[in-house]
Amino acid sequence: MIEDKNQQRTQLSDLGEFGLIDHLTQNFKITQSSTVKGIGDDAAVLNFENKRVVVTTDLLVEGVHFDLSYVPLKHLGYKSIVVNLSDVFAMNAKATQVTVSIAVSNRFPLEALEELYAGIETAANVYGIDVIGGDTTSSTTGLLISVTALGEVEANEEVYRNGAKSNDLLVVSGDLGAAYMGLQVLEREKEVYKVNPNNQPDLEPYTYIIERQLKPEARKDIPVLLAELGVKPTAMIDVSDGLSSEIIHICKQSEVGCDLYEEKIPLDPQVISTCEEFDIDSTTVALNGGEDYELLFTISQDDYVKIKANPNLTVIGHMKQASEGMHLVTRADTRIPIKAQGWKNFNA
Ligand code: ADP
Ligand code: MG
């Protein structure tokens, strides 16, 4: 809650646009050999030699994608980078550079943007990527952040959504539903705070799920792990909108069907206990929650032995003929058609 903080407030107009950009980007270091020229000229210059280049963009809008009353700006900066890198990793590529563009209203002091950029810098350091440019402009409404991420991959090692074959195994990294349940806890606490600002919530039982919401990580390790294991997925996507809509994307683009086994869906114990507390079905949360930033991919059955012992990876189903449809096979052994619940930002 930036307005509440009894801290120094420097007006953005005191610095001017160029002073502001210099100030915010002064600590950024170039570490990638593919970055020839970073921030400071009319454009950045990159050299990927014989690699393929992947490019992806996301736009985050205050009030639609984030709520500054419970998202600290440092976390927002971090998350805005991570969600883009997740798309790069979902192509089986290595992330190398980002550009960051912001539109900001004069309600934000310099100190707020310093927080945002501290998060961006931390993400750049953690993921070993270069911030090579961006744009800065004013906004009359709230904060907008657009990040473009670039990555590199050897020719023919990139993985699309459209390569899954019937009988391939469906695999997911990590666990699902935690970010959504973290959001439920944060929204509940926001309501409690509105009624009684002196009420100090005990968030200890929710540390994992709140961290998954506020400070998600992208699976940089998975493309590396798969290369080490000698597995090239036939299709891959990152889980941003929820497992069911990502499965549908792979199935539609690959022209296959799927059986997803409810009992196989990986859930953290904190997700299970918080779902019980909120009286929400944990499978529904895993299917439709989103913002997990795990990787969902398909592999040939022949590769099963290479991945089966890995604690980061869970086989949750298998692909079928398109004519057989897409189903959730429940614990009670009933078959429920998988439906898309995405686009929640438009329905909200
Ligand atoms: P131009 O007028 O050509 O758009 P700018 O003055 O906007 O140039 O940008 C100057 C340099 O600072 C460029 O290298 C640009 O990419 C970089 N830059 C501008 N805004 C940002 C930002 N918000 N974050 C990172 N780099 C930025
Ligand atoms: Mg500009």
Side-chain angles (χ1 to χ4, degrees), residues 17 21 134-136:
E17 186 192 327
I21 295 168
D135 201 16
T136 308

Side-chain angles (χ1 to χ4, degrees), residues 213-225:
Q213 170 59 223
L214 293 182
K215 194 170 169 288
E217 301 292 355
R219 298 308 301 252
K220 177 186 180 176
D221 56 322
I222 298 295
V224 178
L225 172 70

Side-chain angles (χ1 to χ4, degrees), residues 57-123:
T57 296
D58 266 307
L59 176 61
L60 298 177
V61 178
E62 183 179 354
V64 179
H65 303 99
F66 57 89
D67 180 340
L68 287 176
S69 61
Y70 53 73
V71 178
L73 279 156
K74 198 182 273 182
H75 289 75
L76 180 64
Y78 192 88
K79 185 171 178 174
S80 67
I81 301 299
V82 164
V83 301
N84 273 272
L85 301 185
S86 180
D87 284 321
V88 173
F89 302 141
M91 299 304 292
N92 205 32
K94 174 191 164 197
T96 48
Q97 290 91 7
V98 294
T99 65
V100 180
S101 298
I102 54 173
V104 52
S105 73
N106 55 16
R107 149 169 89 88
F108 293 88
L110 174 66
E111 289 74 17
L113 293 189
E114 286 174 348
E115 285 289 297
L116 183 75
Y117 269 73
I120 290 169
E121 191 185 340
T122 303

Side-chain angles (χ1 to χ4, degrees), residues 17-18 20-22 24-25 28 37-44 98-103 116-117 120 131-137 146:
E17 186 192 327
F18 302 124
L20 174 64
I21 295 168
D22 283 348
L24 293 176
T25 62
F28 289 146
K37 175 74 185 177
I39 291 169
D41 216 301
D42 297 308
V98 294
T99 65
V100 180
S101 298
I102 54 173
L116 183 75
Y117 269 73
I120 290 169
V131 180
I132 55 159
D135 201 16
T136 308
T137 188
S146 178

